[in-house]
């Protein structure tokens, strides 16, 4: 997490693995004082999560290399609305245990 001293708001930084997992688990995200459920984020312009050349019988493989600039900046919620990933202030599981 990175703190912005001007606004005193904590900004969350997401990497490729986070976005990939969010597409699978669909968490509840706090965006601008509203809770929405993550539905999807377009990762089609990024390489596969795991480099296929590094997978073997004894190894699950290495994560693919990517540029931070190539990561998407928006995601879609379950209602079909689009939100900026940088506006997320918190997230929690969508499952009840």
């Amino acid at each position: 997490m990175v703190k912005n001293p001007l606004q005193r708001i904590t900004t969350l930084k997401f990497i490729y693995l986070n976005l990939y997992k969010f597409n699978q688990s669909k968490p509840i995200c706090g965006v601008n004082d509203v809770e929405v459920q993550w539905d999807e984020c377009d990762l089609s312009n990024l390489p596969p999560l795991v480099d296929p050349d590094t997978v073997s019988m004894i190894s699950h493989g290495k994560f693919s290399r990517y540029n931070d600039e190539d990561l998407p900046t928006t995601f879609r919620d379950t209602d079909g609305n689009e939100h900026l990933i940088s506006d997320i202030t918190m997230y929690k599981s969508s499952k009840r245990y």
Side-chain angles (χ1 to χ4, degrees), residues 24-85:
Q24 293 177 331
S25 64
K26 306 200 183 303
I28 304 295
C29 299
V31 179
N32 298 331
D33 299 328
V34 177
E35 287 190 354
V36 297
Q37 186 168 8
W38 183 288
D39 187 32
E40 68 173 346
C41 180
D42 183 20
L43 302 175
S44 62
N45 64 338
L46 293 168
L49 183 63
V50 176
D51 185 359
D53 296 333
T54 61
V55 178
S56 69
M57 292 291 287
I58 57 173
S59 173
H60 293 289
K62 294 182 179 179
F63 290 117
S64 297
R65 295 191 182 271
Y66 65 93
N67 294 324
D68 287 337
E69 298 83 33
D70 295 337
L71 290 175
T73 57
T74 60
F75 74 96
R76 191 173 310 279
D77 67 17
T78 52
D79 294 331
N81 301 319
E82 204 161 286
H83 305 277
L84 290 174
I85 293 174

Side-chain angles (χ1 to χ4, degrees), residues 80-95:
N81 301 319
E82 204 161 286
H83 305 277
L84 290 174
I85 293 174
S86 60
D87 289 343
I88 297 175
T89 55
M90 71 88 182
Y91 61 92
K92 62 184 178 182
S93 174
S94 59
K95 297 180 182 178

Side-chain angles (χ1 to χ4, degrees), residues 6-22:
L6 300 175
Q7 296 178 348
R8 297 189 186 267
I9 295 175
T10 303
T11 305
L12 300 174
K13 179 177 166 113
F14 296 101
I15 60 173
Y16 183 21
L17 179 62
N18 294 123
L19 302 179
Y20 181 82
K21 291 292 186 185
F22 280 11

